[in-house]
Amino acid sequence: MMNKLEMVKGFLHGGDYNPDQWLKRPDILQQDYQLMDQAHINTVTVGVFAWARLEPQEGVYDFDWLDEVFDKMNQRNGHVILATPSGARPRWMSQKYPEVNRVDSDGRRHTHGFRHNHCYSSPIYREKVHEINTRLAKRYGNNPALVLWHVSNEYSGECYCPLCQLNWRKWVKHKYQTLDALNDAWCMSVWSGLYSDWSQILPPSLLGDSKVHGMDLDWHRFVTDMTVDFFNQEIQPLKKLTPNIPVTTNFMAESLKEGQYTPLTGLDYGKFAKSLDIISWDSYPSWHNQYESTAETAMKTAYVHDQFWSLKQKPFLVMESTPSCVNWGQYNKAKQPGMHRLSSFQQIAHGSDSTLYFQIRQAQGNSEKYHGAVIGHDGKSDNRVFKDVQQYGQELQKIDEIKGASKHVRVAILFDWDSNWALNRGGGFGRPTRLGIQTLQKHYADFWKHDIACDIITSTMDFSKYDLLIAPMMYMVMPDMLARIQRFVEHGGTLVSSYFSGMVDSNDRVNLGGWPQSLQDVFGVEPQELDTLLPGEHYHVKFNQREYETTDYDQVLKANDAQVLGIYSDNFYAKTPAITQHQYGKGTAYYIGARLSSAFIQDFYDGIVQDLHLENQFVRHSNPVVSIQTRYKGAYAYHFVMNFSETEQEVEVQQASVDMLTNRSIAKQVRLGKYDVMVLKEKRRDTLD
C-alpha cells in the first residue's frame, strides 16, 4: 500500500518554517503565506525546535499555533512535514531532570543550551519524547496535509554519563560474552590493560584509555547503536498511530577540511538507514570557493547525493539547503545568479524528490539570523534570492511527472563507516594522507566526468546487480564480505581494489600471516610492504606506455598468477609490479598498488569502460564540466544536462529531444550558458523496468 508521501503529485518545494518565532507578529505570519504562494512553495517543515512552544510548562500544551499552520496549508492544498521536537528540549526539563543533559568525555555534565545535547540513555528523556510524540500523532495523524514525519533533527554526538557508561558495559558484555574474549579482541595484553571485571570497562577518553583501537572502533559502533535505538523508540507512537505516514530524519554531510565534502562519518548511516522509510539529508556544499573549480564542488556534491540514494537505492529527499548563503563558515558567500537553480536541479537529477530549504523566513536573532532564506529580513518579493526561488519553483512544476523516477546503475563504489573509522584511527603510515573517502571520490570523479552513474554502497549490500565494483582502500574486510567478493568476481564481475586493503579484521587487529588467502586467490598477488611517501616525494609507475607519478603511498607487490600491467620505475621497488590484472572464475580483479594521479585513473578506466560497455548511451561526447544524469520512469528517460562552469559549454548527444523547462526542441549539439540547465525528455530505447 502506498504511503501518503508516495501519493503526492510532483516534487516537494519549501522547507523549515518557524512560525513559533513570530507569534507576536500576526502580520508577518499572514505575509508568509502570501509570499509562499508567489514562490510556488507547497511544503513546510514545522516544529523542529518548537518543544518549548508546544509544552511551555510540564504537562501544559499549546497546539493552537500549530493548528493554524495545518489549516493554512490545507487551504492551499499544501503539505506539512511535521517534526518531533526532541532535537531541542524545553528549559524546564533540563532544570527539573538534569539527567537528560549530556556528560562530556571529561565527566562534565552540560547545562541547558544550544541543541542536540540530550542523553540517549536517559529513561526520563525517552519517556518525555514518547509522550509529546504520541500527542502530536493523535492530533495530526489524520490531517490531510501531513505527508511525512521529520524525526528530531541531525542526530549526532555522544554522552559519557553514568547511564551511558552502564549501557556501554552491557553492549560490550553482550558482544563478547567473556572477559577473555574481550581482552583478546581489544589486544588488552598490550600495556598491561587486561580487564579482570566488567565494572572496569569505561568509554575511551583522554582521562583513561585513548590508544586501544578495538575499543575506539566499538565505541563508534555503540554510539551508532544507541542513536538508532533512541530513534526506534522515538518513532514507536508514530508508527503505531500513523502507519501510513513515513518517517525520516535528516542525515548530514561534513567539511572537516578545506576542499573536503563527504557524508557525516560520526554515525554509521548504512546501519541507521534501515530504520528510515525514506532517506533525507541536508545539502550545503561550498559553491564559489577559491580552492577548486565549480565542477569539482559539483562532483563532490554529486558523490554525496549518490551515496544517500544508494542507502535504499530509491528516491531520497533534500531536507535542507539554502537559496543563498549559510552562516557558519569563516566566509559565507552568497550563491551567484543561476547557482541556486543549477544546484537545486542537481539534487533532482541525482534522485531527490524534493528541494527544501532552511529556512523559509529568516530569523531575527541569534546564531542563524544571517542564514539564507526564501523570505529575507526585508520581507519583500522583488529581491534576487526570492526571484531565484520563484523561478525554480515554477520550473519544478513543469517536470513534476519525474517525481518518483528511478535510476539504473552498473557501477558501484564500496564504502563502510566502520572500515573508515579503523583506517583513520590506526597508527603508522601517513596520518594526514589516509584520505579514504577522498580517494573514493577521485575514482568517482572519472565516471562523473563521463556521465556514467555510480552507486556508493556498503559491504552488506548486493554486489550482483553491478558489472563493476570499485573498492580501493578496503582496509577492513570481514569474512562474509570476503566470500561475497569472491562470488562477485567468480560469477563474472569486475573488481578494482588498491593499497590499504585487507589489512585488519573486524576488531581492527592486523591480519597475521599476511593477506587473507581468499584475497590472494581473487587478485593473484601478495602485498608485501607499504611505503609511505613524504610531502613532495614522488616515484613513478609505467602503465599503458605512459609514466605516471606516485604520491603518498607505494605498495610493493608479489605477483603470483596475476598479469602485470604496470611496474614501478624507480626507488628500491623499481621493476616490481604496481598494477595487476587477474582472471578469477568468469570475472576479473585489478589491483592498484600506488596512489596515482587523476590522469592515470582516466587512462586505467577507459579500457574497462569500453570492455564492459558502461558508456552513457545518450551521450556521444562528454564534457567534463557538463554533468548529465538520468532518471527513468515508465516509457521515458529524463536527462538532466547541467553546466557547472562560468562559460558557455557544448555537449553532443545521440539524438534530438525536448527540453521540458522551455518546451523547445533540442538538437544533438547542446549548448548551455553559464550555470545553465536543461531537462531533456526522451522516449526510452531500452527494455529496463
Side-chain angles (χ1 to χ4, degrees):
M1 186 177 71
M2 296 179 69
N3 61 49
K4 282 280 290 289
L5 185 62
E6 292 171 329
M7 296 169 64
V8 171
K9 180 183 177 182
F11 297 98
L12 303 185
H13 184 226
D16 279 36
Y17 181 47
N18 301 299
D20 46 301
Q21 296 178 10
W22 302 97
L23 296 184
K24 295 181 179 180
R25 293 294 304 272
D27 57 320
I28 285 179
L29 296 177
Q30 181 62 33
Q31 182 193 44
D32 286 343
Y33 293 102
Q34 297 170 357
L35 291 172
M36 286 185 212
D37 288 338
Q38 293 180 44
H40 303 279
I41 283 176
N42 61 23
T43 303
V44 294
T45 302
V46 290
V48 178
F49 299 121
W51 200 338
R53 287 291 190 188
L54 294 169
E55 191 179 3
Q57 300 177 48
E58 185 174 15
V60 177
Y61 299 94
D62 177 11
F63 296 107
D64 291 348
W65 63 273
L66 189 53
D67 291 345
E68 180 72 11
V69 174
F70 274 89
D71 290 345
K72 290 289 188 181
M73 294 307 291
N74 277 312
Q75 292 168 18
R76 303 172 65 243
N77 294 316
H79 316 299
V80 173
I81 298 172
L82 183 55
T84 65
S86 65
R89 64 195 174 279
R91 194 173 295 273
W92 57 260
M93 189 184 300
S94 299
Q95 181 182 34
K96 185 174 181 180
Y97 306 105
E99 75 165 48
V100 305
N101 299 324
R102 281 186 187 169
V103 172
D104 64 24
S105 60
D106 290 336
R108 298 172 298 186
R109 187 174 294 277
H110 294 188
T111 60
H112 187 91
F114 200 60
R115 55 184 186 174
H116 306 303
N117 59 351
H118 50 273
C119 171
Y120 292 135
S121 296
S122 166
I124 291 175
Y125 198 61
R126 289 180 174 227
E127 176 189 331
K128 292 298 183 182
V129 168
H130 187 277
E131 184 175 332
I132 189 69
N133 290 359
T134 299
R135 289 181 179 272
L136 290 170
K138 286 181 176 179
R139 192 175 188 93
Y140 301 108
N142 293 321
N143 194 293
L146 181 64
V147 297
L148 179 69
W149 287 108
H150 178 316
V151 181
S152 194
N153 183 72
E154 295 181 340
Y155 282 96
S156 61
E158 52 201 23
C159 179
Y160 296 79
C161 74
L163 293 170
C164 288
Q165 291 184 31
L166 177 61
N167 281 332
W168 165 237
R169 281 191 286 275
K170 289 179 179 177
W171 187 95
V172 171
K173 189 172 185 178
H174 179 266
K175 180 174 181 177
Y176 293 106
Q177 299 295 310
T178 69
L179 287 171
D180 188 53
L182 172 62
N183 283 324
D184 285 347
W186 288 359
C187 295
M188 295 308 293
S189 57
V190 175
W191 291 359
S192 193
L194 294 170
Y195 291 107
S196 58
D197 190 272
W198 292 105
S199 64
Q200 297 165 358
I201 296 170
L202 296 172
S205 166
L206 291 176
L207 300 177
D209 286 304
S210 62
K211 301 290 186 180
V212 181
H213 294 179
M215 177 193 293
D216 288 352
L217 178 59
D218 274 339
W219 176 255
H220 280 294
R221 291 165 171 161
F222 165 76
V223 169
T224 292
D225 286 351
M226 281 302 301
T227 305
V228 174
D229 182 74
F230 183 89
F231 175 88
N232 286 335
Q233 181 164 335
E234 181 164 5
I235 66 174
Q236 283 180 3
L238 312 181
K239 303 299 285 187
K240 178 181 178 181
L241 297 170
T242 61
N244 63 324
I245 306 297
V247 300
T248 191
T249 191
N250 45 341
F251 288 169
M252 293 181 283
E254 60 190 3
S255 302
L256 297 179
K257 294 182 180 179
E258 189 175 272
Q260 295 184 9
Y261 192 55
T262 70
L264 183 79
T265 55
L267 292 174
D268 183 346
Y269 280 160
K271 181 178 288 188
F272 203 158
K274 296 174 184 177
S275 295
L276 275 60
D277 294 320
I278 185 169
I279 302 298
S280 66
W281 79 286
D282 298 347
S283 178
Y284 293 110
S286 298
W287 300 107
H288 317 304
N289 58 66
Q290 292 182 314
Y291 46 80
E292 64 189 5
S293 68
T294 300
E296 289 174 298
T297 305
M299 178 276 294
K300 294 171 186 174
T301 307
Y303 174 95
V304 185
H305 283 309
D306 285 345
Q307 182 149 20
F308 286 127
W309 161 277
S310 302
L311 289 175
K312 287 190 177 291
Q313 299 182 2
K314 63 181 184 180
F316 59 92
L317 301 177
V318 169
M319 187 62 71
E320 292 184 21
S321 58
T322 177
S324 54
C325 61
V326 297
N327 73 312
W328 57 75
Q330 292 298 309
Y331 303 95
N332 300 289
K333 191 164 181 60
K335 288 181 177 178
Q336 291 191 19
M339 180 49 74
H340 170 66
R341 178 175 181 263
L342 174 61
S343 60
S344 297
F345 274 119
Q346 186 191 32
Q347 300 167 4
I348 306 299
H350 283 270
S352 179
D353 275 352
S354 74
T355 294
L356 300 170
Y357 311 113
F358 182 85
Q359 47 197 328
I360 290 182
R361 177 175 281 277
Q362 215 163 11
Q364 187 176 17
N366 296 338
S367 66
E368 292 174 326
K369 66 178 181 287
Y370 292 121
H371 194 289
V374 177
I375 305 170
H377 294 129
D378 60 6
K380 296 181 179 179
S381 61
D382 59 356
N383 60 66
R384 182 178 68 85
V385 171
F386 187 92
K387 289 182 177 179
D388 283 350
V389 174
Q390 185 178 45
Q391 177 193 358
Y392 175 69
Q394 286 178 313
E395 292 185 316
L396 202 57
Q397 292 174 347
K398 295 178 181 180
I399 65 167
D400 61 5
E401 66 186 71
I402 302 176
K403 188 248 184 180
S406 64
K407 297 164 64 176
H408 296 298
V409 185
R410 297 170 57 199
V411 179
I413 296 174
L414 193 64
F415 173 81
D416 270 328
W417 271 266
D418 53 359
S419 180
N420 187 65
W421 291 328
L423 172 68
N424 291 330
R425 183 62 186 87
F429 309 108
R431 295 179 188 271
T433 56
R434 303 293 170 89
L435 301 176
I437 300 178
Q438 288 68 40
T439 300
L440 300 186
Q441 288 179 334
K442 193 173 180 180
H443 288 252
Y444 173 89
D446 187 64
F447 292 88
W448 183 83
K449 291 174 182 176
H450 291 89
D451 307 310
I452 300 170
C454 294
D455 282 346
I456 294 89
I457 65 172
T458 69
S459 63
T460 62
M461 293 182 177
D462 181 18
F463 300 162
S464 65
K465 62 184 289 187
Y466 302 102
D467 297 303
L468 175 61
L469 178 62
I470 301 170
M473 300 184 70
M474 193 169 53
Y475 184 67
M476 177 186 295
V477 184
M478 302 183 190
D480 61 331
M481 178 182 169
L482 282 174
R484 294 169 64 246
I485 285 175
Q486 280 185 294
R487 286 197 301 271
F488 171 77
V489 181
E490 192 173 25
H491 293 170
T494 299
L495 173 67
V496 177
S497 192
S498 77
Y499 58 92
F500 262 128
S501 290
M503 297 182 70
V504 299
D505 66 12
S506 61
N507 292 306
D508 200 9
R509 300 177 302 186
V510 174
N511 288 316
L512 300 180
W515 233 25
Q517 185 61 49
S518 54
L519 287 181
Q520 296 184 41
D521 294 341
V522 170
F523 289 100
V525 300
E526 294 180 50
Q528 296 191 319
E529 185 176 356
L530 184 58
D531 186 21
T532 302
L533 308 188
L534 301 174
E537 183 181 11
H538 306 283
Y539 298 102
H540 300 86
V541 167
K542 292 179 181 178
F543 171 81
N544 210 13
Q545 299 182 329
R546 296 177 63 186
E547 189 167 74
Y548 297 93
E549 190 174 74
T550 70
T551 302
D552 298 334
Y553 298 103
D554 290 342
Q555 188 164 46
V556 181
L557 303 174
K558 176 186 176 184
N560 293 331
D561 52 351
Q563 178 185 355
V564 177
L565 302 181
I567 61 171
Y568 291 107
S569 55
D570 43 16
N571 207 1
F572 67 88
Y573 30 80
K575 298 182 180 181
T576 65
I579 316 294
T580 63
Q581 174 184 354
H582 184 235
Q583 190 75 26
Y584 182 75
K586 297 178 181 178
T588 305
Y590 295 88
Y591 196 83
I592 302 172
R595 179 169 290 174
L596 292 149
S597 66
S598 296
F600 164 81
I601 294 291
Q602 178 171 335
D603 191 7
F604 174 77
Y605 282 117
D606 277 351
I608 294 175
V609 167
Q610 292 175 20
D611 291 344
L612 299 179
H613 305 290
L614 298 174
E615 301 91 343
N616 187 318
Q617 297 302 305
F618 180 68
V619 182
R620 179 168 292 175
H621 295 297
S622 293
N623 182 326
V625 298
V626 176
S627 175
I628 301 179
Q629 300 290 325
T630 303
R631 294 180 68 174
Y632 299 89
K633 189 176 184 181
Y636 293 97
Y638 303 93
H639 308 287
F640 292 76
V641 186
M642 300 165 284
N643 178 12
F644 288 100
S645 82
E646 286 66 38
T647 58
E648 183 179 279
Q649 298 291 331
E650 185 175 286
V651 65
E652 186 176 356
V653 299
Q654 295 287 359
Q655 67 179 50
S657 54
V658 175
D659 180 13
M660 298 177 70
L661 302 179
T662 61
N663 204 31
R664 290 189 299 113
S665 296
I666 304 298
K668 295 180 181 179
Q669 294 293 126
V670 182
R671 292 183 178 274
L672 301 99
K674 172 184 177 180
Y675 300 159
D676 202 3
V677 179
M678 293 181 182
V679 182
L680 305 182
K681 182 177 180 178
E682 177 199 18
K683 186 77 172 179
R684 290 173 64 173
R685 294 167 287 162
D686 55 56
T687 57
L688 295 171
D689 293 332

